[in-house]
Amino acid sequence: MSSATTALLEAPAPEPARKSLSYSSDDIKRMLPHRWPMLMIDRAYDVVPGVSGRGVKSVSVNEPFFAGHYPDHSIMPGVMIVESMAQLVAVVYVAEILEGAAGAAEEDASRSVGYLGSISNMKFSRLVVPGDQLTLEARLGQRLGGLRQVKVRATVGSELAAAGTLVVTTGRKG
């Protein structure tokens, strides 16, 4: 055998491509325990279960927080942008549970949604106002016991609105 053939035979097999999934707002309502007015994600796509995903939050003037933040100049609160990103993280996490447990009920999987543990290095670069559409991105990182580090970002068009790191619990009890 040639050395090139030997190298190919000894090289580890490439990992199979993980499938990418999409979820509608109705799917997300079955996956997450959140409800109006705290359900902050409208659609998820390019979701690789347990790894990463993208999502959409369409910002409407009818959002309840705009009544007080601020009445004469509507601005989406930064904490709501972070909540939107955290809910995308939950979709990516629940997708892993649903894909891993054949036939697992979505309502059972929604009980495994954990909590936000910390927000680090979050930078807000652009105001988010009614009519904007936030594109959310999440990439799960290393596990730290019962915690998971996640890189998140939100954009409006090509403009960065927010980016940082979240730490989430990997499940809740009860």
Side-chain angles (χ1 to χ4, degrees):
M1 267 193 279
S2 73
S3 61
T5 306
T6 303
L8 284 174
L9 292 175
E10 292 175 0
E15 287 188 36
R18 295 182 122 171
K19 65 180 170 180
S20 174
L21 305 170
S22 294
Y23 299 99
S24 70
S25 61
D26 290 334
D27 296 328
I28 292 167
K29 282 191 282 188
R30 288 188 291 272
M31 295 171 81
L32 302 184
H34 306 78
R35 294 295 175 261
W36 188 89
M38 287 306 298
L39 186 58
M40 301 296 296
I41 181 171
D42 299 318
R43 183 169 51 96
Y45 62 98
D46 292 345
V47 174
V48 178
V51 176
S52 63
R54 301 180 88 189
V56 172
K57 166 62 179 155
S58 296
V59 182
S60 167
V61 72
N62 294 320
E63 305 278 359
F65 48 77
F66 284 133
H69 197 267
Y70 299 99
D72 295 329
H73 181 59
S74 300
I75 300 169
M76 185 175 185
V79 69
M80 302 309 268
I81 297 169
V82 172
E83 179 64 22
S84 300
M85 293 184 288
Q87 288 183 23
L88 175 61
V89 171
V91 168
V92 173
Y93 183 70
V94 170
E96 179 179 37
I97 293 168
L98 292 173
E99 289 297 304
E106 287 175 341
E107 55 272 3
D108 293 337
S110 75
R111 291 189 185 130
S112 66
V113 171
Y115 300 104
L116 183 58
S118 73
I119 303 167
S120 303
N121 302 317
M122 189 63 63
K123 304 281 190 235
F124 298 94
S125 309
R126 178 195 191 280
L127 296 179
V128 176
V129 298
D132 285 345
Q133 186 175 68
L134 280 173
T135 298
L136 312 166
E137 299 175 35
R139 176 163 293 282
L140 279 63
Q142 65 183 353
R143 292 181 194 272
L144 311 163
L147 303 175
R148 192 88 185 251
Q149 190 175 49
V150 187
K151 296 286 185 189
V152 293
R153 58 186 271 130
T155 57
V156 176
S158 62
E159 295 180 75
L160 182 65
T165 301
L166 305 178
V167 173
V168 297
T169 62
T170 56
R172 63 184 168 110
K173 304 213 183 339

